[in-house]
Amino acid sequence: FVHMPSYEIKAGKLCSPAMGDSFAAGTTDGPGMFDFKQGTTSGNKFWHLVSGLLSKPSEETVQCHDPKPILLDTGDVTKPYDWDPHTVPIQILKIGNFVILALPAELTTMAGRRTRWA
């Protein structure tokens, strides 16, 4: 089990969980609602105001997720229960130069790149 926000890799420190605008944009086979766009690096002021009522991300969390704008700061929401775990089970299997990494989540494109760089 690994406490992800305190874990450091070669590419840098891992972040507290959060969901960005690209999460709300959906996927190419099932786009989301409203005016969210994939790959955006600037957030929608209205939706960030609304999501800020739930939890406003700390400056450290914003910097860690940069350039991705944070829509939902799920890592700091604890009512009525924790929305995202900070400690998760991971498995790493290495056979020669081939590495298999098993995580209890679907990686974003950027998280996948950062994992590869590590």
Side-chain angles (χ1 to χ4, degrees), residues 1-57:
F1 288 87
V2 175
H3 185 260
M4 299 304 272
S6 63
Y7 196 73
E8 292 199 31
I9 59 175
K10 291 178 190 175
K13 185 176 178 277
L14 299 180
C15 306
S16 178
M19 295 181 180
D21 288 7
S22 293
F23 154 79
T27 64
T28 53
D29 59 336
M33 298 173 73
F34 308 109
D35 63 345
F36 293 102
K37 304 281 187 263
Q38 293 225 6
T40 185
T41 56
S42 62
N44 179 301
K45 291 182 183 190
F46 171 75
W47 288 113
H48 286 270
L49 175 71
V50 171
S51 69
L53 299 174
L54 181 65
S55 174
K56 183 165 175 48

Side-chain angles (χ1 to χ4, degrees), residues 48-93:
H48 286 270
L49 175 71
V50 171
S51 69
L53 299 174
L54 181 65
S55 174
K56 183 165 175 48
S58 68
E59 188 59 35
E60 178 185 4
T61 302
V62 170
Q63 291 298 320
C64 190
H65 282 274
D66 188 57
K68 177 184 86 172
I70 296 173
L71 178 63
L72 295 172
D73 182 31
T74 56
D76 292 332
V77 179
T78 58
K79 301 288 184 201
Y81 50 81
D82 289 348
W83 281 32
D84 266 326
H86 286 127
T87 303
V88 295
I90 64 168
Q91 297 177 21
I92 301 172
L93 175 65

